[in-house]
Amino acid sequence: MRSLLPLYQAITTVVVGDGQSTSFWHDIWLGEECLSEQFHLLQSHCKHTDQSVSDIVIGGLRRHLAPRVTTEALGELALVEALLSQVTLTATFDKRYSPFADHDGKLHTRDLYALLKSMSAPAGTTVSKFWSSCAPPRVQFFAWLLVHGQIQCKENLLKRRILMDSTCELCGGQPETTSHLILHCSFAASFWRSLGFDIPDDFEARDIHQLPRPASIAGSHFDTFVLLCCWHLWKRRNGITFRQESMSLRQTLQACKNEARLWSCRLPCGERNIAAHWCSLFSLAM
């Protein structure tokens, strides 16, 4: 069960009450990603990373840092402290939400079992590619949802009668299916073309593990590179849909480049130069 904790934290979000049962660094409670992913440099300067949200909000973050902090980490510290200044704890318990549970907390055991079974699939199978990639657990889970057609796109929400219309908000011309959103919407198509991909019109998101690799992209950790791109297309969509953000192709490629630098620490020590290769690809595409 302990080995499943990172995945559990990656696929759940927390609405903070008293902050006592929520991990400051590893739970997703402030933004769309855990703080250890958003502020990796700062976290690396922490003497311990098992603090609760309550520990940090009440006692402050600086007392948990090593004596010498780099300039880059100090920059991240300023950003975190600005975010924390807007956090107010209450007397209620923290509440955790999971895609495998109803609002009343009842688990969907069949879906959860399918997820756990896929994690133990033999090496070389389709599903094992996601779990063996160097992407963070939350992105690995997103990939699992992607190939099973279960991301919360408008077409899926229409089927569940949560929405009455499935028209893509990004292009306004087609239903927002999983494949349309990630591969064939006008913005997604231009994004992939800028990186040298030639994606057939009938290519489906469920086959993302078979996406043809351009000659300009190294074969090493190609699966992780593809997940990085899909993840940022999804994040861009959510930013536009829920927060009325505006993100150009250049800005999206820059976000991918920034993320590639963060993910470099997840690559094997002898292969971290592959992240520099990815960064150069994103730079050339801008």
Side-chain angles (χ1 to χ4, degrees):
M1 293 299 292
R2 182 178 295 274
S3 66
L4 294 175
L5 180 59
L7 178 64
Y8 176 70
Q9 291 175 315
I11 66 176
T12 56
T13 56
V14 182
V15 174
V16 169
D18 59 20
Q20 294 183 19
S21 63
T22 301
S23 169
F24 177 81
W25 287 109
H26 303 298
D27 278 322
I28 298 170
W29 66 280
L30 194 62
E32 296 181 354
E33 297 175 85
C34 63
L35 294 181
S36 66
E37 294 293 339
Q38 296 183 60
F39 303 101
H40 170 73
L41 291 174
L42 179 60
Q43 190 227 26
S44 69
H45 287 74
C46 271
K47 292 176 282 188
H48 303 285
T49 61
D50 57 354
Q51 303 91 352
S52 69
V53 171
S54 175
D55 292 335
I56 301 300
V57 171
I58 295 174
L61 179 56
R62 291 178 181 260
R63 66 191 182 95
H64 297 282
L65 300 177
R68 295 182 180 179
V69 180
T70 64
T71 302
E72 293 81 2
L74 286 174
E76 291 191 352
L77 176 61
L79 294 174
V80 172
E81 289 183 330
L83 291 172
L84 290 178
S85 68
Q86 304 174 39
V87 174
T88 302
L89 301 181
T90 68
T92 61
F93 294 121
D94 300 342
K95 191 167 185 179
R96 191 175 294 269
Y97 294 90
S98 166
F100 294 109
D102 296 325
H103 286 294
D104 61 2
K106 182 180 180 181
L107 285 174
H108 304 160
T109 53
R110 186 175 71 173
D111 292 342
L112 184 58
Y113 174 75
L115 171 67
L116 296 177
K117 184 177 179 180
S118 75
M119 292 178 64
S120 59
T125 60
T126 299
V127 292
S128 69
K129 288 180 177 291
F130 311 126
W131 305 119
S132 62
S133 75
C134 295
R138 186 170 178 81
V139 182
Q140 292 176 341
F141 175 63
F142 165 76
W144 184 84
L145 292 175
L146 186 67
V147 299
H148 287 84
Q150 294 188 30
I151 64 171
Q152 296 298 301
C153 63
K154 295 182 72 173
E155 182 75 7
N156 285 341
L157 295 174
L158 178 67
K159 291 177 181 177
R160 294 168 56 189
R161 300 183 180 180
I162 296 175
L163 294 179
M164 300 302 294
D165 177 45
S166 64
T167 303
C168 175
E169 291 190 26
L170 304 186
C171 69
Q174 298 290 329
E176 190 194 69
T177 64
T178 301
S179 296
H180 171 80
L181 176 62
I182 297 298
L183 298 169
H184 303 302
C185 184
S186 55
F187 181 89
S190 63
F191 172 86
W192 292 111
R193 281 196 302 271
S194 72
L195 293 170
F197 285 83
D198 183 15
I199 301 178
D201 292 339
D202 60 350
F203 196 85
E204 297 285 340
R206 65 172 178 264
D207 300 317
I208 198 73
H209 61 286
Q210 297 177 343
L211 194 66
R213 179 176 63 85
S216 58
I217 301 179
S220 180
H221 300 291
F222 179 64
D223 291 333
T224 303
F225 178 82
V226 170
L227 293 190
L228 170 64
C229 294
C230 292
W231 179 241
H232 274 278
L233 288 171
W234 175 245
K235 288 176 65 174
R236 177 183 183 271
R237 176 264 190 189
N238 290 340
I240 292 173
T241 301
F242 300 116
R243 297 184 296 277
Q244 292 73 54
E245 295 175 353
S246 177
M247 201 169 197
S248 67
L249 176 59
R250 180 181 178 85
Q251 290 171 322
T252 304
L253 290 165
Q254 182 63 54
C256 290
K257 180 178 176 180
N258 294 341
E259 191 96 351
R261 293 195 184 102
L262 294 177
W263 286 18
S264 63
C265 65
R266 295 182 170 275
L267 298 169
C269 291
E271 300 180 52
R272 291 182 180 175
N273 62 319
I274 195 68
H277 168 63
W278 295 347
C279 289
S280 66
L281 290 172
F282 292 126
S283 293
L284 290 172
M286 290 180 193

